[in-house]
Amino acid sequence: MRKIALVNQKGGCGKTTTAINLASCLSGEGRKVLLIDLDPQGHSGLGLGATPGQIENSIYEVLLGKIPINEAIQSLRKNLDAIFSDVLLTAFEQVMAGAREREYKLEQSLADIADDYDYLIIDSPPSVGLLTFNGLMVSEEVIIPVDTSSFSLHGLDKLLNTIKIIEEKTEHYLFIKILASNIDRRTKFGRHVVEKLKTHFPENCFKTVINTCTRLREAASHGKPIAEYDKRCAAFRDYQNLTEEVLDDEAEMKVKTPAFKPLWEAEFLPGQSLEKEIAFTLEASAGATVQIAGDFNNWAPEGLELTESQGRQVWHKVVSLTPGSYQYKYLLDGRWVLDPANGQTVDDFFGGANSVIKV
Ligand SMILES: Nc1ncnc2c1ncn2[C@@H]1O[C@H](COP(=O)(O)OP(=O)(O)OP(=O)(O)O)[C@@H](O)[C@H]1O
Ligand SMILES: [Mg+2]
C-alpha cells in the first residue's frame, strides 16, 4: 500500500480538494483506494457526500482503539473507501496527553488492512499537531499543496523545517512533493508563484498545476469528486494529470527530501520586510557555554554572547524572525534547557517540551 499524506498548516490551500480528487482519480484508474480524514472539520466527508451527524464510527474511535479499523471503513464508490472524521477529533491531543506511542496510533490501527488497498490518502488538519504527526508517521510520501497566498509560501518554509526535524528525530524519511494549487495563471502573481516553486524545488514540484476552477467548489458542495460532477472542466484535466504523475512514480518510489532552501518573503512581497528582531536571553555564569537552537535555525545550535548587566551575567542573541510561532531551547553546557523566562511551552512529542515564542 502506497501511503500519501496531504499536509500544510496553512488553511484553505487545497489539501481536502486534492485528497478527494486524487483518491477519486486513482480509483478511476483501477487502484483500490482508502481515504482517511484526520481533520476534525470533516471536509473530506462532506466533499464525498457524507451527512454530518450520521457518521457512527469515525477515525476518532479507531485512533483511541475503541473499534477495529474495519468497522469505520465506508464503501463509497467502486474502488474508493473512506474513513471519515468527527469533530471529537479536536479533543484527540488532550485525550492522548501523556499516552505512550500516541504518534503511532494510526500506524497501529492500519495493521489489519495493510494488504487491502493500493493507496492510502490522508487528509490532514491545518496544523502540525498530533493528528498530522500520526499521518506523517504512517506515510512515505507527503504532498504539500501551496496556493498563491504569501503566507502559504512562508508556511511552506516552516513546514519543510518541521518535517526535517521530524525526520531527524524519528529517522522516518518522507518523499516530499509540492503542488501548486488553486492558481489563477491569468494573473502575474499566479504565474510568478508557480515559477518560484519550480525554481526552488525543481525535483520536488509536480509538473501539474491545479488551476483555479469554480467547478471544484461546486462539486464539493454537491458532495462529489470532480470526476462525477463535470469531466469537461479544467479541474478534472488537472487532477487527472496529477494522478498520472503520481502513477508514474509507482515503479520508482524514491525516498528523499527536497534540497532545502528558505523561501524568504522578500522574494514574493518585494519591498515588504516582515522580519522582527527578537532578543533571546539566559542568565548563566561567565564560564558557561550557552547556545540556542530552534525552528528558526533548523535546530543547529548557535552560540550566545555574554554581557554583564547590573552585576548579572546575561547571555543573549538577537534573531530576525518572520511572523509565526517558533519552538526553541537553550543548550547550557551541553544540556538542553527550557527558557526560564518564557512560560509558554509545547510538547515535543518525545516525552519532553520546547519553549515556544509567537512573533
Ligand atoms: N483549484 C481550485 N479552484 C477553486 N477553488 C478551489 C480550488 N482548490 C480548492 N478550492 C476551494 O478552496 C477552499 C479551500 O480548499 P480546501 O478545503 O481543499 O483546502 P484545505 O487546505 O483542505 O483547507 P483546511 O486547511 O481548512 O482543511 C474550498 O472551498 C475549495 O472548494
Ligand atoms: Mg481540509
Side-chain angles (χ1 to χ4, degrees):
M1 182 159 64
R2 198 173 158 190
K3 305 176 211 92
I4 306 174
L6 276 296
V7 172
N8 193 339
Q9 75 273 36
K10 162 76 171 53
C13 61
K15 295 182 287 294
T16 301
T17 307
T18 303
I20 291 174
N21 289 295
L22 178 61
S24 151
C25 289
L26 283 168
S27 68
E29 294 297 318
R31 305 302 191 276
K32 202 151 186 330
V33 185
L34 175 66
L35 188 156
I36 295 184
D37 187 2
L38 284 181
D39 184 359
Q41 297 180 98
H43 290 165
S44 278
L46 295 178
L48 284 165
T51 318
Q54 287 188 2
I55 299 160
E56 260 179 47
N57 292 329
S58 74
I59 192 68
Y60 180 69
E61 286 80 19
V62 176
L63 293 175
L64 289 193
K66 290 186 176 173
I67 55 169
I69 194 161
N70 286 308
E71 289 183 21
I73 295 177
Q74 316 234 358
S75 256
L76 301 179
R77 276 111 176 140
K78 187 171 175 231
N79 290 333
L80 179 58
D81 292 355
I83 304 181
F84 295 135
S85 86
D86 191 295
V87 71
L88 284 173
L89 269 183
T90 43
F92 182 65
E93 210 148 316
Q94 265 176 305
V95 172
M96 283 287 146
R100 284 189 57 232
E101 300 187 336
R102 67 206 139 128
E103 307 85 31
Y104 299 95
K105 292 297 162 195
L106 184 59
E107 187 170 20
Q108 290 160 1
S109 326
L110 286 173
D112 289 349
I113 55 158
D115 301 325
D116 296 357
Y117 295 92
D118 300 310
Y119 280 83
L120 171 65
I121 306 291
I122 300 172
D123 188 15
S124 319
S127 60
V128 188
L130 186 59
L131 287 164
T132 300
F133 204 93
N134 264 269
L136 288 174
M137 294 316 290
V138 158
S139 305
E140 293 114 18
E141 295 168 72
V142 178
I143 295 179
I144 305 176
V146 178
D147 67 356
T148 36
S149 121
S150 58
F151 282 106
S152 183
L153 291 163
H154 169 58
L156 175 59
D157 197 22
K158 274 179 68 185
L159 179 59
L160 290 174
N161 250 326
T162 308
I163 291 176
K164 216 170 160 207
I165 292 160
I166 291 172
E167 287 181 328
E168 279 164 11
K169 287 194 172 185
T170 62
E171 295 190 10
H172 173 76
Y173 293 97
L174 293 153
F175 176 39
I176 298 171
K177 275 273 182 110
I178 291 158
L179 174 67
S181 151
N182 202 351
I183 303 283
D184 186 350
R185 277 200 280 194
R186 290 169 306 179
T187 66
K188 206 172 161 192
F189 189 59
R191 293 193 299 273
H192 177 70
V193 167
V194 172
E195 191 196 306
K196 281 286 166 202
L197 288 175
K198 293 196 171 175
T199 317
H200 275 265
F201 303 102
E203 287 175 27
N204 297 86
C205 198
F206 281 109
K207 288 192 193 75
T208 302
V209 171
I210 308 295
N211 290 283
T212 301
C213 173
T214 47
R215 302 297 269 169
L216 277 173
R217 239 178 244 275
E218 291 169 23
S221 67
H222 284 84
K224 290 182 176 171
I226 198 68
E228 285 171 30
Y229 188 72
D230 184 359
K231 272 195 171 167
R232 287 162 310 162
C233 74
F236 175 67
R237 212 173 42 239
D238 290 342
Y239 275 111
Q240 201 57 33
N241 288 340
L242 175 69
T243 304
E244 276 169 32
E245 275 197 68
V246 170
L247 290 172
D248 279 348
D249 285 341
E250 238 175 30
E252 186 205 344
M253 254 296 294
K254 302 168 234 167
V255 179
K256 62 179 184 180
T257 47
F260 180 76
K261 287 183 191 169
L263 295 169
W264 304 115
E265 275 71 11
E267 291 196 39
F268 301 99
L269 300 169
Q272 289 183 34
S273 173
L274 298 171
E275 289 192 353
K276 286 200 176 136
E277 307 245 288
I278 305 293
F280 292 90
T281 56
L282 183 73
E283 280 195 48
S285 62
T289 306
V290 186
Q291 293 171 295
I292 188 167
D295 291 342
F296 42 79
N297 64 2
N298 228 359
W299 289 89
E302 289 175 36
L304 270 68
E305 286 164 29
L306 177 68
T307 44
E308 299 268 347
S309 167
Q310 294 167 348
R312 294 183 313 151
Q313 278 144 354
V314 180
W315 293 80
H316 77 279
K317 180 157 194 82
V318 175
V319 182
S320 296
L321 297 175
T322 48
S325 168
Y326 298 88
Q327 296 184 32
Y328 69 100
K329 260 183 168 174
Y330 291 112
L331 199 52
L332 174 58
D333 288 328
R335 204 166 36 86
W336 290 104
V337 292
L338 290 168
D339 184 350
N342 178 0
Q344 302 289 317
T345 60
V346 287
D347 194 312
D348 68 358
F349 295 126
F350 297 94
N354 292 327
S355 295
V356 63
I357 184 166
K358 284 202 173 70
V359 177

